[in-house]
Amino acid sequence: MTKEELEYKIQMLEQKVVSNTSEMISVQADLKIAQKQLEDINKPELTPLQFELIQEAIERGVGEFDFSDEGNYDKEFGINYDGKVHLENLDLTCTYELVEMITGRVHKLFTEAECPEEDDNSQLNNATHVEKVI
């Protein structure tokens, strides 16, 4: 091969690398979209109003929790070199109560569906079809 032929071959290979790189980026984006769709396939659909109601229920649940009650926290104090006392660590100890308040509010938004009891536990009852009625 001559010098010109090798330079041309290098130029063609560099173009191929650029082309394949852009194709790879496109395929990766398609892969991420497909993975997200697979993740969401069995999730029930909610309307924007339902999302808003859930948001409000969570805000009310958090709002009812008494964050000012010192008994809800474990506190650790320390002393600086200049003799000033400071709070080194503050842990919320009753997260279970906070979670219960929030889930209680969210549960009030829904009714629980009854699942039929099956004698054979080998079959799973999964809803995979959701219809949107306008």
Side-chain angles (χ1 to χ4, degrees):
M1 284 190 160
T2 66
K3 180 180 177 183
E4 290 80 23
E5 290 174 335
L6 283 173
E7 288 175 346
Y8 178 75
K9 185 177 181 178
I10 289 171
Q11 185 180 16
M12 299 311 293
L13 289 171
E14 287 175 344
Q15 288 177 355
K16 195 172 186 179
V17 166
V18 169
S19 172
N20 286 342
T21 301
S22 63
E23 184 179 338
M24 181 187 67
I25 291 171
S26 174
V27 169
Q28 286 178 334
D30 291 344
L31 174 62
K32 285 183 181 181
I33 291 169
Q35 288 172 332
K36 178 67 173 151
Q37 288 172 339
L38 177 62
E39 181 182 316
D40 292 346
I41 194 98
N42 287 328
K43 290 182 181 178
E45 293 183 356
L46 296 176
T47 65
L49 176 61
Q50 291 168 325
F51 275 114
E52 187 177 319
L53 291 173
I54 292 170
Q55 172 79 26
E56 289 173 4
I58 292 170
E59 288 173 359
R60 277 187 253 120
V62 170
E64 291 174 0
F65 186 77
D66 188 9
F67 286 97
S68 63
D69 183 4
E70 291 182 20
N72 292 334
Y73 302 96
D74 281 337
K75 301 165 280 299
E76 292 180 23
F77 295 98
I79 297 179
N80 290 336
Y81 290 113
D82 59 358
K84 292 182 181 178
V85 176
H86 68 276
L87 183 62
E88 284 188 6
N89 191 21
L90 180 68
D91 289 323
L92 183 62
T93 57
C94 54
T95 56
Y96 177 79
E97 293 175 21
L98 179 59
V99 169
E100 284 297 310
M101 292 179 99
I102 293 170
T103 54
R105 286 292 188 165
V106 172
H107 284 188
K108 289 179 182 178
L109 298 173
F110 302 98
T111 58
E112 188 171 347
E114 292 187 26
C115 295
E117 294 182 24
E118 294 183 24
D119 293 333
D120 184 12
N121 289 335
S122 65
Q123 295 178 347
L124 296 176
N125 184 9
N126 288 331
T128 59
H129 178 73
V130 177
E131 290 185 31
K132 187 174 183 178
V133 179
I134 297 177

